[in-house]
């Protein structure tokens, strides 16, 4: 990761398209003026990668912020996701057009399946995921999106999708933070050249009081939030921190002036489960 100097710097995906190494998360970012201010702040602080989703209800605000930001389109990287009520080929194509219209963009940079069809709720869940994926492949081949991927997929969800795929997923966005290190899924993704993105890289704030993290952060002179984000980066994952506070937005982009030692990375890897959302893709009921 030594070559990465700022949130704008990019990592190449399997198809040669590249993705800025830190993204601005927008889950729970309010729609409207507060969200708009946060997005403008993020863009001023050098974030070029914005992560939203149909289900977040703020695509229009993201679109407005991008349209008024005066940043060349090719510098920006915009992700959105198809929600669970729009799975399947036709419904996904329709959902994509709705998202694209709200975002006021000609093309998206990355489109993700938000959650795998959970087992139990859908007996034929592998096929459902494959049909949704076929729609993403067609959007990709039509040039409407530069890269496609999944979110919250474990290896046993990825395998049947990849078996049937013509185009392999370029990204898997998962919950990832100290205390939720997702070693099995990360290893699988690394072996298959799938870029990992980290949602809730701060455990939605739940990991910030942990004493080990406080002690390690003090030894570098960084904040615990910066430590969590740096740990993600050095574990080859793209963190997507969310904040609506101007100083915290800036803080979260300043993670390129220090380097965690292997020993400290491992101490963080080995933390007991901490700050997890409790959302398991195999048991979610939404
Ligand atoms: P706020 O928006 O008031 O800054 P995650 O990205 O893991 O979901 O975490 C988001 C939560 O963590 C939000 O509640 C956010 O609150 C808070 N947060 C974001 N950045 C920081 C930071 N640098 N220090 C402390 N809390 C933060």
């Amino acid at each position: 990761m030594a070559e990465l100097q700022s949130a704008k710097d990019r990592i190449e995906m399997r198809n040669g398209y590249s993705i800025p190494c830190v993204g601005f998360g927008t889950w729970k970012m309010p729609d409207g003026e507060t969200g708009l201010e946060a997005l403008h702040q993020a863009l001023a602080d050098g974030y070029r990668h914005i992560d939203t989703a149909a289900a977040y209800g703020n695509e229009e605000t993201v679109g407005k912020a991008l349209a008024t930001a005066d940043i060349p389109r090719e510098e920006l990287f915009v992700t959105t996701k198809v929600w669970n009520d729009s799975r399947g080929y036709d419904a996904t194509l329709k959902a994509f057009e709705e998202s694209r219209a709200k975002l006021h963009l000609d093309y998206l940079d990355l489109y993700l399946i938000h959650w795998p069809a959970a087992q139990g709720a859908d007996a034929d869940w592998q096929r459902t995921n494959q049909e949704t994926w076929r729609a993403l492949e067609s959007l990709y081949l039509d040039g409407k999106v530069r890269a496609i991927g999944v979110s919250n997929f474990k290896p046993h969800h990825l395998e049947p999708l990849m078996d049937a795929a013509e185009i392999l997923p370029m990204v898997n966005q998962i919950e990832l933070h100290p205390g939720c290190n997702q070693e099995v899924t990360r290893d699988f993704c690394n072996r298959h050249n799938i870029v990992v993105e980290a949602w809730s890289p701060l455990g939605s704030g739940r990991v910030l009081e942990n004493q080990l993290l406080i002690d390690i952060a003090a030894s570098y002179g960084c904040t615990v939030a910066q430590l969590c984000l740096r740990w993600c980066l050095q574990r080859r994952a793209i963190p997507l921190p969310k904040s609506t506070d101007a100083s915290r937005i800036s803080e979260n982009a300043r993670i390129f002036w220090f380097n965690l030692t292997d020993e400290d990375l491992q101490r963080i890897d080995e933390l007991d489960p901490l700050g997890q959302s409790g959302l398991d893709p195999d048991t979610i009921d939404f």
Side-chain angles (χ1 to χ4, degrees):
M1 310 306 291
E3 71 278 13
L4 297 173
Q5 310 276 328
S6 82
K8 292 180 190 174
D9 287 352
R10 289 179 171 237
I11 293 170
E12 197 169 287
M13 293 178 278
R14 65 179 327 129
N15 64 339
Y17 197 58
S18 62
I19 176 166
C21 66
V22 175
F24 187 65
T26 66
W27 183 41
K28 293 191 182 160
M29 184 192 80
D31 210 15
E33 209 44 49
T34 308
L36 203 56
E37 273 174 31
L39 285 156
H40 280 144
Q41 179 68 43
L43 293 166
D45 280 320
Y47 294 80
R48 290 294 178 268
H49 169 174
I50 311 292
D51 183 87
T52 183
Y56 298 172
N58 56 25
E59 288 174 314
E60 278 172 6
T61 299
V62 171
K64 206 165 166 187
L66 299 176
T68 51
D70 200 23
I71 294 173
R73 175 66 184 93
E74 61 275 13
E75 271 191 40
L76 297 167
F77 189 102
V78 185
T79 303
T80 193
K81 313 179 189 88
V82 55
W83 186 238
N84 303 349
D85 61 3
S86 302
R87 291 179 178 129
Y89 187 79
D90 292 331
T92 296
L93 294 182
K94 184 164 173 277
F96 177 86
E97 287 308 331
E98 284 166 10
S99 287
R100 192 163 69 130
K102 285 183 182 160
L103 288 161
H104 296 292
L105 294 174
D106 291 338
Y107 68 90
L108 263 289
D109 295 278
L110 178 63
Y111 198 44
L112 303 177
I113 301 180
H114 205 145
W115 291 88
Q119 289 142 310
D122 177 354
D124 207 8
W125 61 270
Q126 292 96 331
R127 198 174 148 70
T128 303
N129 288 334
Q130 288 163 3
E131 285 299 296
T132 309
W133 187 250
R134 213 160 55 77
L136 268 63
E137 289 178 328
S138 123
L139 292 165
Y140 178 73
L141 293 171
D142 284 350
K144 293 180 176 171
V145 59
R146 299 288 187 259
I148 51 177
V150 296
S151 180
N152 300 300
F153 273 53
K154 297 183 191 180
H156 71 274
H157 303 122
L158 274 163
E159 273 162 350
L161 183 137
M162 290 165 72
D163 284 346
E166 270 183 51
I167 300 165
L168 293 175
M170 290 138 207
V171 166
N172 186 16
Q173 182 181 128
I174 55 175
E175 179 177 3
L176 178 64
H177 51 78
C180 177
N181 90 33
Q182 299 267 25
E183 196 177 356
V184 174
T185 301
R186 281 191 297 115
D187 281 354
F188 181 93
C189 290
N190 290 338
R191 274 189 282 114
H192 290 88
N193 200 12
I194 297 170
V195 172
V196 174
E197 295 183 336
W199 64 258
S200 266
L202 313 176
S204 292
R206 291 182 293 267
V207 305
L208 301 176
E209 303 299 319
N210 177 268
Q211 196 55 49
L212 176 75
L213 296 178
I214 291 171
D215 292 345
I216 297 177
S219 74
Y220 289 90
C222 65
T223 66
V224 176
Q226 289 172 321
L227 178 74
C228 294
L229 301 172
R230 185 74 206 176
W231 172 81
C232 282
L233 262 190
Q234 288 188 233
R235 285 298 183 226
R236 301 173 62 186
I238 294 179
L240 306 170
K242 172 262 167 191
S243 177
T244 46
D245 175 85
S247 68
R248 291 193 283 276
I249 291 170
S250 306
E251 176 187 326
N252 295 343
R254 291 198 309 271
I255 55 169
F256 298 90
W257 53 273
F258 65 106
N259 219 6
L260 303 178
T261 63
D262 288 343
E263 192 190 5
D264 286 332
L265 288 170
Q266 203 170 335
R267 288 165 76 200
I268 300 172
D269 289 345
E270 289 167 0
L271 264 177
D272 287 337
L274 175 72
Q276 305 198 6
S277 68
L279 299 176
D280 181 333
D282 285 320
T283 55
I284 53 160
D285 59 0
F286 50 80

